[in-house]
Amino acid sequence: MKILAAQPIRRQVLVSACLLLLPIVIGAAWSANRTRLERRAEVQAEAASITATSVAYFDRYLHGLDSMASVLVRHPAVIALNREECNRLFAGVLRDQPLVLNVVLRAPDGTLQGSGLQARDVVSQSVTVPYVQQVVASGQPVVSDLIIGPVSHKPTVVLAYPVRAAGGSIVGVLDFGIDLSQLQTLFGSLPLAEGSVITLTDRRGLVLARSREADRFIGTTMAAAAPTEPGATPRASAGKDIDGVDRLFASAVVGRGAWVMTVGIPRSVVEARLWPLWQRDLAISAIAVLVPLFFWLWMGGRLSRQLNHLRGAAQRIAQGDLSPPARVAEVLNRELGDLQDAFVSMAQNLAHTREALDRQVEQERKMRETLESLQRQVVRQERLAAVGVLVSGVAHELNNPLQAILGASELLERRRDLSSEALLDIAFVKTQSARAREIIRNLARFSSQQAGPPTSVDLRDVIAEVVQLRRANLAAADIVLDVQASSTRNVYANFTELEQVVLNFVINAQQAIQAAGSPQGRMVIRLSDVGQRVRLEVVDNGPGVSPANEPKLFQPFFTTKPVGEGTGLGLSVSYGIVESYGGAIGYHGNESGGATFFFELPATDSQRQTAPQVRTAVTAR
Ligand code: ADP
């Protein structure tokens, strides 16, 4: 299993399928071999059975010949060695016995005394015939070796019998020559498998008859199986036949003739009979192996595809894409379905968690920026406070000499001895000193640290102060300022704070006009009554505010100005001031395309006599 651990699923399936299928393959091979051995044994049994049957029939036939011979040897014509009579008699026998080549009668000295076949060229004189001598010597029937028939001139083996006279002496030898070629025809007619052969040999292995290619092999020696006893079960063997063909043999002894009959069936018959069985076995094994293999591979492929899908989704998640993976419609099994569901919900949870984290990080970033801005603001405020202290000190110090200059100028004015030119100069010194005193007073008031308690304020005074402060600057920027004050009602607030709000409106308007590069810069400060409120508007013909920026105008630190120019605090501080006095502050575009910033405060005659709200430095919206 360790081998499989690091492999892809398809290979795992393949390897485990091979491991599981190995026993099937081994079993199929074992079965094929068993079948081969069984078929071989079957063919050998078939050969043995044919051998046993053939031997039994042949043996019986030879015994039949023995019986016939025992009748013939008692025939008077035979005992009398009457040639004419014998020839006729034997010819009749030959007609009835197709397997007998010839019936011959010889005198004990070997001379031919009668023949079933017509004996033309046979010399009627004494010849040495070995089997005749054996019969005469033993007085018993004898079976000859393979000889060439003296009359038929064909190869034959002879069954020889003694012919006795009435006294028992041997007067002749009767022999039956077996027609080997007929025997071969008989063998050939037996229903044997293609290529099979029946061979008859004598005990020395000399071929007497053969069902195939007899002419070629009769008289040659065949390495026959070791002879068995007559009537014993045929002996099986295998090997090359004399014609070179591989055969399975069964041999048995023909008892009467003392010959060996061998039936040989070619080995190829075994293979030919095996082949259909092997084909069937092969087909079954192939189906048994391939069907599960393909099924497992198919399952493995689907499983692998679905796991790859999940792996791809996991990799996407690892790379930061938390979108939930697409669901596979047809999952392989319930476990994979559950895994997919768990995976999808895990991805969704991760996405939600990351969104929450992103939100938190964003909030923390904004808080950090706010904190840093507030820190900068505090530093700036402290610096402004220091400047304020300095300015009020300088103003106080300058005020005394200016008072002295003014006092001295007035005293000089009263002198009678001065020329009109000198009086004019003194008047100029007086007005300029008065102007300087006024500027110093404003500076001292504006830089004051404490806004001081609210009082009833005339907004026209506030406007005058602001105009006084910005007049020269606006003129330098070629901006025409128009003041339209139709309200005479007071509001309840701190003068300096309202001055800060209006000054901020005016500076913003001037910067917007200048940034847009408008040739005809125009600004109107309008004061009017709106019901129980007094409304102050600063109208300009600058570029106005884009709709996208409108909602952010009064947020702290919102600015569109370059770094160093804008802090984004002016409007938010103004918002806080106006709100703290129960007023409203706002913006709208105007017909010239520019901006109108305004605030409204309750008029003092309509104001509730309640204490003003506590104001915070920055009021977030
Ligand atoms: P700052 O002037 O430091 O930018 P403010 O709070 O006074 O801060 O103004 C915020 C922003 O409002 C400005 O940066 C500008 O974009 C816009 N704004 C204010 N007044 C005007 C105006 N009159 N015309 C066009 N835009 C304006």
Side-chain angles (χ1 to χ4, degrees):
M1 288 305 111
K2 260 188 183 174
I3 308 167
L4 293 179
Q7 305 291 334
I9 284 187
R10 243 173 202 278
R11 199 173 303 162
Q12 278 186 357
V13 168
L14 201 65
V15 173
S16 23
C18 288
L19 287 176
L20 289 173
L21 295 175
L22 197 63
I24 297 180
V25 173
I26 292 173
W30 176 82
S31 160
N33 190 44
R34 285 289 313 164
T35 316
R36 191 178 63 80
L37 294 175
E38 282 164 14
R39 287 294 83 79
R40 185 190 153 123
E42 195 178 284
V43 168
Q44 274 181 329
E46 190 178 315
S49 143
I50 293 168
T51 309
T53 313
S54 306
V55 163
Y57 273 109
F58 193 46
D59 220 23
R60 200 177 302 160
Y61 177 73
L62 293 177
H63 279 113
L65 286 184
D66 286 346
S67 308
M68 195 189 307
S70 69
V71 174
L72 279 178
V73 293
R74 286 197 293 271
H75 196 283
V78 174
I79 295 170
L81 303 180
N82 183 335
R83 180 184 293 255
E84 293 300 316
E85 199 62 23
C86 284
N87 285 353
R88 255 197 321 276
L89 186 65
F90 295 163
V93 172
L94 285 185
R95 273 195 299 278
D96 294 342
Q97 298 296 328
L99 274 185
V100 178
L101 181 64
N102 198 8
V103 184
V104 171
L105 179 65
R106 288 179 186 274
D109 63 354
T111 50
L112 191 71
Q113 299 300 325
S115 167
L117 292 177
Q118 227 176 353
R120 287 194 196 95
D121 49 352
V122 177
V123 188
S124 294
Q125 58 188 13
S126 105
V127 283
T128 307
V129 183
Y131 66 84
V132 173
Q133 289 176 335
Q134 284 173 18
V135 172
V136 172
S138 65
Q140 295 294 321
V142 163
V143 177
S144 77
D145 291 333
L146 181 66
I147 58 164
I148 299 296
V151 180
S152 63
H153 302 293
K154 288 183 180 174
T156 183
V157 283
V158 169
L159 303 179
Y161 308 90
V163 181
R164 295 175 190 277
S169 60
I170 295 174
V171 292
V173 173
L174 177 76
D175 64 71
F176 286 103
I178 305 295
D179 189 344
L180 293 176
S181 58
Q182 276 299 323
L183 196 62
Q184 283 159 187
T185 314
L186 191 71
F187 287 165
S189 67
L190 288 177
L192 287 172
E194 176 71 25
S196 301
V197 66
I198 301 179
T199 313
L200 189 68
T201 53
D202 63 13
R203 282 196 177 267
R204 289 172 300 160
L206 211 63
V207 176
L208 304 177
R210 190 168 162 89
S211 60
R212 292 163 68 95
E213 298 179 279
D215 296 342
R216 189 174 151 204
F217 294 111
I218 284 179
T220 60
T221 309
M222 177 179 166
T228 53
E229 287 307 309
T233 316
R235 179 161 293 173
S237 62
K240 277 223 185 310
D241 205 345
I242 45 176
D243 57 358
V245 178
D246 238 343
R247 289 197 172 90
L248 300 172
F249 300 108
S251 311
V253 171
V254 184
R256 173 62 187 88
W259 299 314
V260 176
M261 187 177 287
T262 304
V263 173
I265 300 179
R267 240 187 243 273
S268 56
V269 171
V270 178
E271 261 82 66
R273 290 186 190 177
L274 266 179
W275 185 231
L277 294 174
W278 276 355
Q279 275 181 320
R280 194 188 59 201
D281 281 0
L282 203 71
I284 292 172
S285 304
I287 290 170
V289 168
L290 293 178
V291 168
L293 184 68
F294 283 129
F295 178 71
W296 288 333
L297 279 177
W298 175 75
M299 287 276 285
R302 286 196 63 191
L303 187 66
S304 158
R305 267 196 301 285
Q306 293 183 3
L307 285 177
N308 277 341
H309 177 73
L310 288 178
R311 187 180 63 182
Q315 281 171 345
R316 274 206 318 282
I317 289 175
Q319 285 160 4
D321 178 4
L322 296 183
S323 54
R327 285 173 188 273
V328 176
E330 277 182 36
V331 284
L332 204 57
N333 50 39
R334 215 176 53 205
E335 285 83 355
L336 259 181
D338 291 348
L339 180 63
Q340 177 173 271
D341 290 347
F343 206 80
V344 170
S345 63
M346 180 192 80
Q348 284 169 342
N349 288 344
L350 273 175
H352 291 154
T353 309
R354 193 170 75 174
E355 275 170 24
L357 268 176
D358 286 350
R359 273 200 303 275
Q360 197 173 336
V361 167
E362 180 61 14
Q363 273 177 2
E364 281 176 6
R365 189 183 63 77
K366 279 188 181 157
M367 279 171 67
R368 199 171 53 246
E369 282 178 4
T370 309
L371 195 66
E372 284 169 5
S373 299
L374 285 172
Q375 278 173 341
R376 280 198 300 275
Q377 198 185 351
V378 167
V379 170
R380 192 161 153 263
Q381 290 293 335
E382 280 178 358
R383 203 178 298 145
L384 279 176
V387 171
V389 170
L390 190 69
V391 167
S392 65
V394 170
H396 181 72
E397 288 303 318
L398 284 179
N399 199 36
N400 291 339
L402 278 174
Q403 285 295 354
I405 292 169
L406 269 174
S409 304
E410 278 173 9
L411 284 175
L412 276 174
E413 233 178 4
R414 286 189 200 137
R415 281 177 58 170
R416 305 274 177 209
D417 56 339
L418 294 177
S419 64
S420 57
E421 269 185 10
L423 281 174
L424 275 176
D425 288 343
I426 289 167
F428 182 70
V429 169
K430 224 177 106 185
T431 48
Q432 290 306 314
S433 301
R435 196 171 159 220
R437 188 188 58 189
E438 201 56 31
I439 290 170
I440 283 167
R441 193 182 296 154
N442 283 342
L443 261 179
R445 190 189 303 157
F446 190 67
S447 64
S448 158
Q449 281 298 297
Q450 295 298 321
T455 53
S456 181
V457 177
D458 186 342
L459 282 170
R460 287 173 300 178
D461 292 343
V462 174
I463 293 169
E465 285 289 345
V466 171
V467 170
Q468 173 77 21
L469 277 170
R470 300 301 297 172
R471 176 177 287 128
N473 218 307
L474 289 169
D478 249 357
I479 296 171
V480 179
L481 174 65
D482 190 8
V483 177
Q484 301 168 1
S486 61
S487 170
T488 53
R489 299 162 87 180
N490 282 10
V491 295
Y492 190 73
N494 178 275
F495 187 94
T496 310
E497 284 182 339
L498 292 186
E499 188 182 15
Q500 192 179 340
V501 174
V502 179
L503 187 63
N504 191 43
F505 280 2
V506 169
I507 290 172
N508 276 347
Q510 181 185 343
Q511 286 177 340
I513 292 167
Q514 283 178 312
S518 320
Q520 282 288 307
R522 272 187 62 80
M523 195 187 302
V524 180
I525 302 176
R526 191 176 294 139
L527 190 64
S528 57
D529 288 330
V530 180
Q532 297 305 314
R533 292 180 162 218
V534 181
R535 179 183 174 102
L536 188 147
E537 293 175 315
V538 175
V539 183
D540 68 57
N541 66 344
V545 178
S546 71
N549 286 342
E550 266 186 50
K552 305 181 214 161
L553 279 174
F554 296 94
Q555 286 177 8
F557 310 113
F558 169 72
T559 180
T560 57
K561 294 172 190 168
V563 180
E565 257 184 55
T567 59
L569 285 170
L571 286 178
S572 67
V573 168
S574 302
Y575 178 89
I577 291 170
V578 174
E579 283 275 299
S580 71
Y581 295 117
I585 190 167
Y587 156 85
H588 61 78
N590 57 44
E591 61 281 358
S592 68
T596 298
F597 282 87
F598 65 89
F599 69 80
E600 291 174 8
L601 285 171
T604 42
D605 50 352
S606 65
Q607 192 173 357
R608 294 190 313 257
Q609 294 303 312
T610 51
Q613 296 170 23
V614 175
R615 175 170 67 83
T616 52
V618 177
T619 306
R621 293 188 71 188

